Structure formats: C-alpha cells, structure tokens
Amino acid sequence: MKLTLSVIKADIGSIGGHEKPSEKVLQTITQHVKENAPGLLLDYKIFWCGDDTAILMTHTKGEDNSEIHKMAYDAFFKATQVAKSQGLYGAGQDLLKDSFSGNVKGMGPGVAEMEFEERPNEPFLFFQADKTDPGCFNLPLYLTFTDPMFNPGLFISPILRKGFTFTIMDVSHTDGDKVITLSTPEDLYSIAALLRDHDKYIIESIKVRETGEICAKVSTSRLHNIAGKYVGKDDPVCLVRVQKTFPDTGEVVSPYGIGHFVAGDNRGSHNTPLMPVKWGTMPNFFDGPAIVSAAGLCMHEGIMTEHVDIFEGPTWDRIREKIADKWVEMRKQGFFGCAMLGLGELEYTEIMDHLEELDKKFIVRK
Ligand code: 13P
Ligand code: 13P
Ligand code: MG
Ligand code: MG
C-alpha cells in the first residue's frame, strides 16, 4: 500500500516562558485532529518536545497536500486562540500568516513528509528537537549514512554498501527551494564540505541509491527568512525509516551519543550541545541545552503502533550526564566568543539595532 507519513509542527505558545505547551493547548490540537481525521487520515499521534507540538499523520493523499496541511494549520490556529486566552508566552509564535494559502511551507510551521510503498514490516523513527534548528540533524545523519564507525551496516549490507543520495538545501536562498543532489561514496567530501555550515546547508532527504527508496526527511524551513526577524528557532523534526534495506535503529541513533554542538538555546543565539532526552523533558538550564527526543514505531496499512522512547535507558542517562557537563562548561564562558552564535546568525535579532547605534558613535582617528 502506498501511503504518506507526514509530520507538521509548530510552537503556538507555552507555559513559563519557552518551556512546554499547556494541557489545554495540547487537548485543543488533539481534538481538532480527531474530529477531522475520518476520511482524511489513516492514523495520527500528537507529540511535544519543549514548547513545540507535532502532529504525526499517515494518509494516502501524498506530500504537500493542501487538505492535510490546512487541517494541521487550523489545529494550530485554533490552539493559538486557547494559548492567547490562557496568556501563554509566544502565543501564535510560529503562525506567521493569518490566512492559509494551500501549503504550510513558508507560513511558519515545520513539515517533513515521505510517500512510500509500505513494507510488510514498517519500522521508523520520529525525531523532534527544541531550542535548535534543522541543521542539528546534519551531523548525525551524515555519520549514520556515511561512516562505518557509527554504522557497520554500510559494509555488512550489500544494498547499503552501494551508498545513498543526499538532497541538501541552501536555506539562505528564500526565492524558491535551492537544492543539490549528491551521492555517496564518491561525493562524501563534498557533502561534508556543505554540511559543516549547518545554518546554511541542511539535509532535506536521503534516499537509498540502489532502490531509490526514501529513507530520511528533515523539516527545512527558516523562520527568520520568512518573518524577516527573529521569532524563535525552527525547532525541527526528522523522519527515518529503519531496518532491512535501511540502517537499523541502533545505527541511526548512535551519533546522538556525541552531544555535538548546534545552534540554538537561549534567544536562539548560542552554541549548545544537542542532548538526547526522554519524551516529556523540557529545556532545563539557560533555556537549553538543545534537546532531541525520538519515538520508534511500526505501522501496518498506515495504522501506527504505540511508540517506544528511544532515548530512555541507562546508557543514555550516562551520555546525558556527560553532555550536561559539556554544557555547563560552555556556559561558564557566557556571551564570549564561540559560546554565542556569530553575527550572521544574529542578524535578525534586536542586537543589530544596538550595534548600528554604536557604530554611529565610532570615530575614525586621523
Ligand atoms: P535481531 O537479531 O534481534 O533481529 O537484531 C538484528 C539487528 O540488526 C539489530 O541491530
Ligand atoms: P523557541 O524557539 O523554542 O520558541 O525558543 C526561543 C527562545 O528564545 C528561547 O530562549
Ligand atoms: Mg517558543
Ligand atoms: Mg521551541
């Protein structure tokens, strides 16, 4: 059966600062999706990570379907009214346009979708991150799909050995989607050269080279490119199909043990390690660190099982402790140097007005 797995997410307001959506906001989203599911969706699940809520859906309407996108947008719009009535912080933060125009792309919410022929066993992972941006997935996806130190399947499996096709987007380009398609193993170093700039070049999708099957998809929006000012980071989502002709679950999650530094955290302006956390964990120190949760599920004819919490468990507890140490050490440096993002990333925030004022006060000595 050919179906589409869609996830559409937004931050439409949260309790106590940018912490988590209220129960009433979550109930409103869930109720709207439930009422509109018959005839539209095969199945759905609601997740939240930090202050962002995600609607995970299966259906047969394909990617970029306006009915699906409108339903999700309306759920977030309705919940925004609730967020406002409760005085939640940042109510409607990610809804940048008042009226829906066919597709949530460019309107604020993040979206990742993949259409595929469902396998007899269809295990997949859903990742959701807060206090960061889609570039946070560049390194873990690169390592899983290119490096046998993280993924022995690359030499064990005859299909994986043939490599993958990466589609990478230049998200600084706002006039249409600017993308490049590169294949492993021959383009390995070109892919690395692009992915190091994780604020500009973002992995959009990865396909298995041998079969052309879609394996991974990331939400690639850039809120500040749409809004023209800082409105919050594009806290991203990522879908990865696993096992058999794809990397297995362990191979997909192994790079998250690194706690690599990503952009985000307080005011979206800092470098922060990415901490893999259990579902229901909020950002916890200095509006950070950046956090990522992962759900493992299976589906049959689009009906999803309950999920397992991938970052639960004693090894991850130990990894989290080490990442917390790394985080606290970095925070000792406060605003200074590499602790904060460079001006290029801050250029949509109010600091630029301040710097312009200061610039006028400079004198050039003769
Ligand atoms: P099982 O032998 O438990 O099916 O696991 C195989 C595997 O690939 C785990 O990484
Ligand atoms: P969010 O992007 O999660 O809304 O956080 C914004 C922020 O400024 C946190 O300090
Ligand atoms: Mg927020
Ligand atoms: Mg957020």
Side-chain angles (χ1 to χ4, degrees), residues 9-11 14 18-19 49-53 93-94 129-132 232-236 283:
K9 56 75 46 186
D11 172 355
S14 49
H18 293 276
E19 305 293 332
C49 177
D51 57 3
D52 297 84
T53 306
Q93 179 183 292
D94 288 355
D130 186 37
K131 302 296 176 274
T132 182
K233 278 268 174 239
D234 311 288
D235 300 325

Side-chain angles (χ1 to χ4, degrees), residues 140 143-144 150-154 156 160 246-255:
L143 293 173
T144 290
F150 290 83
N151 179 0
L154 293 172
I156 293 173
L160 302 195
F246 303 123
D248 70 29
T249 301
E251 292 159 350
V252 175
V253 301
S254 60

Side-chain angles (χ1 to χ4, degrees), residues 342-360:
L343 273 188
E345 273 291 275
L346 297 183
E347 74 186 295
Y348 294 90
T349 70
E350 285 161 346
I351 193 176
M352 297 313 286
D353 302 334
H354 185 199
L355 291 176
E356 264 172 43
E357 285 303 310
L358 289 175
D359 193 60
K360 287 178 199 149

